[in-house]
Amino acid sequence: MIRPIVKDILFLQRKAEKASRKDAQAGRDLLDTLAAHSSDTCVGLAANMIGSTKAIIAIKDGSRSILMYNPVLVKTSPSAYDAEEGCLSLSGRRPCRRYDWIEVRYEDEDFHKKKKRFDGWTAEIIQHEMDHLQGILI
């Protein structure tokens, strides 16, 4: 189900709670909402952006969407770069610093444990959405 995008700063600043299989519907809603906003150049969403307090993100990686439950950054590149990012929940663009590559441990949409390295644009998207899970707004 496509959900409205939350713009309430106080809600968005709350840290996410661990997701479980009971939160699978929130994951599906996140994917549906991401697809619905693809024409808005939306490439990622965190669950708090659709009103859920759970640690779930959905990102676009090329033509496919990836759903991650309980993502954790386990390793980062030693180097980082300055970026400027926008967000559907906020107006305008803001500066931030991002790692060149990241390694993430997460559970996939079937709740299987995964660990994967991402680089470039995909790594930047994941870092932005993982910030949302910590209540950090860019």
Side-chain angles (χ1 to χ4, degrees):
M1 174 181 284
I2 299 167
R3 300 284 181 182
I5 300 298
V6 171
K7 298 184 185 276
D8 179 339
I9 300 297
L10 293 177
F11 182 82
L12 294 168
Q13 289 177 324
R14 293 172 52 186
K15 286 191 176 185
E17 305 161 0
K18 185 174 171 88
S20 70
R21 289 183 183 273
K22 294 177 187 174
D23 302 306
Q25 184 61 52
R28 287 189 294 276
D29 291 350
L30 203 55
L31 288 171
D32 291 346
T33 306
L34 178 63
H37 286 278
S38 62
S39 64
D40 300 332
T41 64
C42 179
V43 291
L45 289 173
N48 63 352
M49 295 175 68
I50 62 165
S52 171
T53 59
K54 300 301 180 167
I56 313 167
I57 67 171
I59 62 119
K60 293 293 284 180
D61 184 20
S63 61
R64 68 185 180 126
S65 296
I66 300 173
L67 186 64
M68 297 181 179
Y69 291 97
N70 306 308
V72 176
L73 219 54
V74 291
K75 195 171 187 183
T76 63
S77 65
S79 56
Y81 60 93
D82 293 320
E84 189 176 87
E85 297 173 353
C87 181
L88 285 183
S89 289
L90 306 167
S91 61
R93 297 179 62 79
R94 291 167 183 76
C96 58
R97 192 136 176 89
R98 297 294 182 213
Y99 295 107
D100 293 319
W101 59 263
I102 58 173
E103 191 172 276
V104 182
R105 187 177 63 239
Y106 63 98
E107 296 166 67
D108 68 13
E109 58 190 75
D110 296 317
F111 288 89
H112 296 125
K113 293 181 191 283
K114 303 270 184 168
K115 186 164 72 167
K116 187 172 178 183
R117 181 176 161 156
F118 298 91
D119 58 13
W121 178 236
T122 304
E124 185 173 333
I125 297 165
I126 293 168
Q127 289 171 81
H128 178 99
E129 302 314 330
M130 287 182 70
D131 280 351
H132 271 292
L133 300 182
Q134 296 301 312
I136 298 169
L137 301 178
I138 301 300

